[in-house]
């Protein structure tokens, strides 16, 4: 057996570090349960949802989704009181990544078990926001906000960073395919096309606010990421891309403005500074995770795909 080259060693170490953060210490066990386990799948490897969720743009897209979701005060109240995002930020990320990966790539029966587990947890998340309003994680309206902010972020990151973005028809298919898991989590009437998605986001706009909780999430993610000092620069590359992809109103509400820039010139500065940084970070993640030996890069056999579900 030939000795690993320095390049392969570096890529393996970086890949392992990323997987451990996003999937947890048992990342390999989870990978086998999702990508190598036998059983019918709901989606084929070349389906739009598999292309989007398998692209490294998901890292910047995930940061964008967290920032955008935090702007809904009732959603933020539930996150602040129940998710432990400061005490256990990686645990929350790992549970979310398992849900996305399993419902996209995993056997259908295993995907349903993950959905059932999340639904049970949601029944325990309820309380009162700072303004006195009641919230519950089972509220279809709040679940819909989480869903539309998430898939809008994933789709925008993919379209921005992918060498071959989805066609307009495939982008509609992505939104429609993502609705499958959303409905099983209690989302009423999830969007089924990009036009529906844009309309859904616009409808939530009057409900979004700049709350102390939302600003704390932004500060925690962007200024105080829970990472060793040596790992922070790489994270900040992805975060720069995430901020650049946020709608202008979201950056305004979160106070995310470049110092010393007038508002009129800020979009140009973001494209000139944040966008190249985001592209560099996404390319680095893509390189680290592109090992052909990784089962995630050769998902399930053709025999399994032929038996995939269609409902």
């Amino acid at each position: 057996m030939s000795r690993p080259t320095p390049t392969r060693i570096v890529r393996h170490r970086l890949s392992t570090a990323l997987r451990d953060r996003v999937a947890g210490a048992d990342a390999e066990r989870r990978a086998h349960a999702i990508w190598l386990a036998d059983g019918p799948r709901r989606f084929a490897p070349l389906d739009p949802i598999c292309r989007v969720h398998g692209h490294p743009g998901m890292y910047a897209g995930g940061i964008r989704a967290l920032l955008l979701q935090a702007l809904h005060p009732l959603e933020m109240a539930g996150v602040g009181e129940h998710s432990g995002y400061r005490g256990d930020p990686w645990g929350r990320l790992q549970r979310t990544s398992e849900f996305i990966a399993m419902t996209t790539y995993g056997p259908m029966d295993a995907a349903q078990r993950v959905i059932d587990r999340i639904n049970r947890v949601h029944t325990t998340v309820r309380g009162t926001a700072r303004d006195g309003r009641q919230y519950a994680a089972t509220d279809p309206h709040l679940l819909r906000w989480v869903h539309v902010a998430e898939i809008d972020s994933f789709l925008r990151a993919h379209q921005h960073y992918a060498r071959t973005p989805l066609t307009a028809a495939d982008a509609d298919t992505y939104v429609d395919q993502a609705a499958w898991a959303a409905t099983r989590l209690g989302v009423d009437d999830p969007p089924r096309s990009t036009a529906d998605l844009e309309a859904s986001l616009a409808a939530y706009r009057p409900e979004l606010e700049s709350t102390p909780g939302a600003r704390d999430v932004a500060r925690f993610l962007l200024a105080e990421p829970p990472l060793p000092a040596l790992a922070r620069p790489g994270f900040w590359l992805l975060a720069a891309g995430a901020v650049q992809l946020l709608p202008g109103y979201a950056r305004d509400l979160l106070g995310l403005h470049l110092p010393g820039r007038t508002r009129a010139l800020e979009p140009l500065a973001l494209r000139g500074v944040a966008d190249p940084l985001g592209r560099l970070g996404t390319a680095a993640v893509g390189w680290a995770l592109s090992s052909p030996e990784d089962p995630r890069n050769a998902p399930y056999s053709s025999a399994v795909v032929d038996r995939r579900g269609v409902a």
Side-chain angles (χ1 to χ4, degrees), residues 59 63 90 220-223 225-227 231-240:
Y59 283 74
I63 298 170
W90 297 113
F220 180 63
L221 282 175
L222 304 178
L227 289 166
R232 288 188 174 190
F235 176 85
W236 281 325
L237 293 176
L238 298 170

Side-chain angles (χ1 to χ4, degrees), residues 24-25 28 56 91 119 150 155 194 219 240 242 260 271:
E28 291 308 310
N119 282 332
E150 185 173 272
L155 180 58
T194 54
R219 182 167 52 252
R271 287 196 294 271

Side-chain angles (χ1 to χ4, degrees), residues 5 90-91 103-104 142 152 189 204 225 237 251 254 300:
T5 64
W90 297 113
T103 56
T104 303
L142 288 182
D152 180 69
D189 190 27
Y204 279 99
L237 293 176
R251 291 196 298 270
L254 293 169
Y300 39 86

